Amino acid sequence: MSEPRPSDRHDASDPEDTFAEIVDEETQRDPDLAVIEAGSRTLRTQSGPPQAEAVPDRPADPETDRALRAVEEELAGRWGETKLEPSVTRIAALMDVLGEPQRAYPSIHITGTNGKTSTARMIEALLGAFELRTGRYTSPHVQSVTERISLDGAPITAERFIETYDDIKPYVEMVDAQQPYRLSFFEVITGMAYAAFADAPVDVAVVEVGMGGTWDATNVIDGSVAVITPISLDHTDRLGTTPAEIAEEKSGVIKQDATVILAQQPVDAAQVMLKKAVGVDATVAREGMEFGIVSREIAVGGQLLTLRGLGGEYDNIFLPLYGAHQAHNAVVALAAVEAFFGIGAEQARSLDVEVVRKAFLSVLSPGRLEVVRSSPTVVLDAAHNPAGALAAAEGVSEAFNFTRLIGVVGASDGKDVRGLLEAFEPIFAEIVVTRNSSERAMDADALAAIAVEVFGHERVQVEPRLDDALEAAITLAEEEAEYAGAGVLVTGSVITVGEARLLLGRR
C-alpha cells in the first residue's frame, strides 16, 4: 500500500476540520505521530511552503551583523571542536536545566565517517516532502555558523540564531560554573539546536554527530532510527586506529529498541555494530541486504536511480548530485525515512513514489562535488580524508569529461594528507597547494613537501593564499587551447571549500 499523496488528503479550507480529517486518515500510523503530522500540515496550510534552502550570507542589517559577530566571538572563546574532553556530562547538565528539550520530538541520529551531512539533507528533504516539520543539525558549516541549525529545510535566520543563544546563555553560564570544564563551542551549539527545535516546534529532528558517537555531545537524544554511514579511518587519535575500534565508538548512537540503518561497511566494523544492535534489541536493516541500489545511470546534472527500500522499489528517482557515493547516501536516507514511518518492520507498504521523486529532486549539498563556475568549470568538494577523496575522485571522473584537471588542495593538520593526495594523484594533472584561514590549517610548504613526494616536483605549485591559488589553478586550466575541456577541483577541507565558495562569489 502506498502512502497517500499530500494533495489527495484534504481540503485546506478549515484548519480545525483539516486537522481532524488527517488524524482519522492516519489510522495505520502510530497515533502520536499522526497527531504531530496533522498539526504540522495544518500549520503549513496557513503559513505556506518553506523557502528553498541556500547557504546564508552575512546579515544585510548592520545591527544584526554586529550582534551575530558578537555571538560568534563568544562561541569562539570556548574550546574548539577539535579540543575534546570525552563526556556527555556537561551537555546532559545543560539539557537538564533547559527542561530536556531534546525529548520533545522524535529523532533520527546519524553517524559514520563520510556522507553524514549529505545523508542528513536527503532525510530532511524526504520528511519535508511528506509534510513533517523538520529540524536538522549538521557540522561543520560551509560558510555561516547558522547553517548548522535548520528548520523546514532552511538555515535559521541570523536573528533567530542570536535569540536562541541569548535564551540559553544564562543556563550555559550556570552549567559552566558547576563543571570542571566550561561547555565547548560544539556543546553550546548542540544545546542551541535542541532548544530551537523544541521552540519551533519540529515534528522530527535529523541530527548528525560531531565526532564518534558514545561521548559525542549530540548523544543525549534517543534516536528511534540510528543511521550509520560508511566507516573508514579518520580522527584516529580520538576514535581508534581500525574500522572496528571506530565502529565501537560510533555504535553508541544505537539505542534500545531502535532501528539501525547500516550503510555498506568493512566487515569488522559491521560485526561490531551488529553485536551492539543485538545487545539493545535493535532492528537492523543493511544496505545490500534489506535495501540497496537497483540501478544507476549518469544523467545531465546528476544521476537517475532505481532504489529498493524497505517497503519496495522506487524507480525514476533523479538525484541532482554527482557520484556513486551520493546514490548510496540516497538509498540509506530512503531506508531511514521508511524506518521512521514504521515501514518494513511494522507495516508492509511503501512511500508514495511521486513524493519521493519530488524530495530527491530538491536535494542540495553545498560543497559536495558542487559546480560553482564555468569556463573553466570549477568544482568544490569537501573531502578531507582518503575515503572521501577516493569517492570524490571517482565522482569527478564519472560525471565530468575533463581533458585536464587542476587540483587546489588546502588541508588541516592531523589528517592523513598523504592518503588524501594519493587518492587524487591519478586525476590531477597538476596541483596547487595552499592553506585556508583556519588556525588548524596545514602550512602550505609542509603540504607541498608531501605533494612533491606524491606528484613529483614538476606537477606541484605552492600558493599560500587561497585567492592566489584559485587564480593560479584557473590560469593553468585556461593556458592552452588544447585544454579547452580543463577544470579545477578545490578540496581538502570543508573550510577551504567554504572560503573558495565565497571567493568565487557563490551564495
Side-chain angles (χ1 to χ4, degrees):
M1 166 178 152
S2 294
E3 178 92 349
R5 294 194 59 186
S7 59
D8 299 335
R9 285 178 170 169
H10 57 271
D11 180 355
S13 58
D14 187 328
E16 292 186 4
D17 289 345
T18 297
F19 184 91
E21 288 170 10
I22 298 171
V23 174
D24 288 341
E25 290 176 13
E26 293 290 338
T27 54
Q28 300 301 313
R29 292 272 310 278
D30 178 277
D32 292 336
L33 283 179
V35 171
I36 289 172
E37 184 171 333
S40 178
R41 289 181 187 159
T42 304
L43 190 64
R44 285 172 183 272
T45 297
Q46 300 170 67
S47 63
Q51 297 297 310
E53 180 170 6
V55 174
D57 202 353
R58 295 300 308 182
D61 177 63
E63 288 299 321
T64 303
D65 188 51
R66 277 193 289 272
L68 179 60
R69 290 187 187 279
V71 171
E72 290 170 333
E73 288 175 8
E74 289 188 28
L75 290 170
R78 295 179 173 273
W79 274 5
E81 291 175 280
T82 58
K83 187 173 182 181
L84 304 171
E85 194 278 314
S87 168
V88 294
T89 301
R90 291 175 302 282
I91 188 67
L94 180 60
M95 293 298 100
D96 180 53
V97 296
L98 289 175
E100 304 292 347
Q102 81 283 14
R103 310 287 183 204
Y105 37 80
S107 300
I108 297 175
H109 206 176
I110 306 169
T111 190
T113 302
N114 292 308
K116 296 187 295 295
T117 298
S118 292
T119 302
R121 288 175 175 272
M122 294 178 194
I123 291 172
E124 172 189 52
L126 283 162
L127 293 169
F130 285 103
E131 300 191 359
L132 291 183
R133 189 165 205 210
T134 57
R136 173 172 53 83
Y137 180 52
T138 52
S139 61
H141 56 274
V142 177
Q143 288 179 200
S144 170
V145 69
T146 60
E147 294 168 41
R148 295 178 180 235
I149 306 172
S150 289
L151 294 172
D152 283 331
I156 63 173
T157 63
E159 291 85 355
R160 191 162 193 168
F161 188 90
I162 296 162
E163 290 169 3
T164 303
Y165 177 76
D166 288 341
D167 285 345
I168 76 164
K169 183 178 178 180
Y171 302 96
V172 168
E173 293 172 345
M174 185 187 306
V175 173
D176 284 344
Q178 296 170 349
Q179 299 292 325
Y181 303 101
R182 298 171 70 214
L183 287 153
S184 69
F185 167 91
F186 186 72
E187 287 169 332
V188 175
I189 295 282
T190 301
M192 289 173 61
Y194 290 160
F197 296 162
D199 184 60
V202 302
D203 302 331
V204 54
V206 183
V207 178
E208 173 190 339
V209 303
M211 185 188 298
T214 300
W215 44 257
D216 186 75
T218 63
N219 203 30
V220 288
I221 57 173
D222 291 321
S224 59
V225 178
V227 178
I228 304 179
T229 65
I231 287 176
S232 60
L233 299 183
D234 198 9
H235 301 295
T236 53
D237 57 330
R238 297 285 184 178
L239 303 178
T241 57
T242 68
E245 290 176 351
I246 293 172
E248 185 72 39
E249 171 58 34
K250 291 183 182 291
S251 66
V253 304
I254 301 174
K255 303 299 173 61
Q256 187 73 35
D257 300 321
T259 299
V260 183
I261 304 300
L262 202 59
Q264 292 180 348
Q265 303 289 349
V267 173
D268 55 346
Q271 289 173 338
V272 169
M273 289 180 284
L274 290 170
K275 181 179 179 181
K276 174 61 183 288
V278 169
V280 295
D281 294 322
T283 301
V284 178
R286 299 155 293 178
E287 184 183 2
M289 300 290 286
E290 287 76 23
F291 65 95
I293 299 170
V294 176
S295 67
R296 188 177 77 89
E297 299 176 23
I298 306 307
V300 176
Q303 49 195 308
L304 191 65
L305 311 173
T306 296
L307 306 177
R308 177 170 54 83
L310 304 178
E313 198 165 287
Y314 303 81
D315 62 357
N316 293 318
I317 306 296
F318 180 74
L319 180 67
L321 301 175
Y322 300 108
H325 60 294
Q326 294 290 16
H328 288 284
N329 291 339
V331 77
V332 167
L334 175 63
V337 172
E338 287 181 308
F340 180 77
F341 284 122
I343 293 172
E346 301 170 12
Q347 302 178 43
R349 63 186 178 94
S350 61
L351 299 173
D352 186 325
V353 68
E354 289 297 332
V355 179
V356 171
R357 289 171 184 154
K358 178 182 177 183
F360 279 118
L361 186 62
S362 71
V363 171
L364 300 172
S365 196
R368 276 75 181 179
L369 289 184
E370 179 188 18
V371 178
V372 294
R373 174 185 163 147
S374 58
S375 299
T377 300
V378 178
V379 182
L380 308 180
D381 193 86
H384 56 274
N385 55 46
L390 283 170
E394 290 172 3
V396 166
S397 300
E398 177 184 76
F400 301 91
N401 294 317
F402 291 130
T403 57
R404 184 176 187 228
L405 183 61
I406 310 301
V408 174
V409 179
S412 298
D413 266 331
K415 295 292 183 179
D416 182 1
V417 173
R418 180 179 295 277
L420 181 140
L421 294 176
E422 288 173 346
F424 284 122
E425 190 278 332
I427 69 166
F428 286 166
E430 296 183 58
I431 180 174
V432 181
V433 298
T434 187
R435 62 166 293 157
N436 57 57
S437 64
S438 168
E439 293 180 358
R440 295 169 50 206
M442 186 174 187
D443 178 74
D445 289 333
L447 179 57
I450 300 173
V452 167
E453 294 176 5
V454 174
F455 289 85
H457 189 273
E458 68 283 356
R459 294 167 64 192
V460 178
Q461 182 171 333
V462 184
E463 294 290 349
R465 288 170 51 106
L466 181 56
D467 54 350
D468 292 337
L470 291 171
E471 182 178 353
I474 290 169
T475 299
L476 286 169
E478 292 176 328
E479 66 181 3
E480 294 185 36
E482 67 178 287
Y483 296 134
V488 174
L489 176 63
V490 184
T491 188
S493 162
V494 175
I495 298 169
T496 299
V497 163
E499 293 182 357
R501 209 172 186 274
L502 283 170
L503 287 168
L504 293 166
R506 190 71 171 183
R507 294 290 183 265

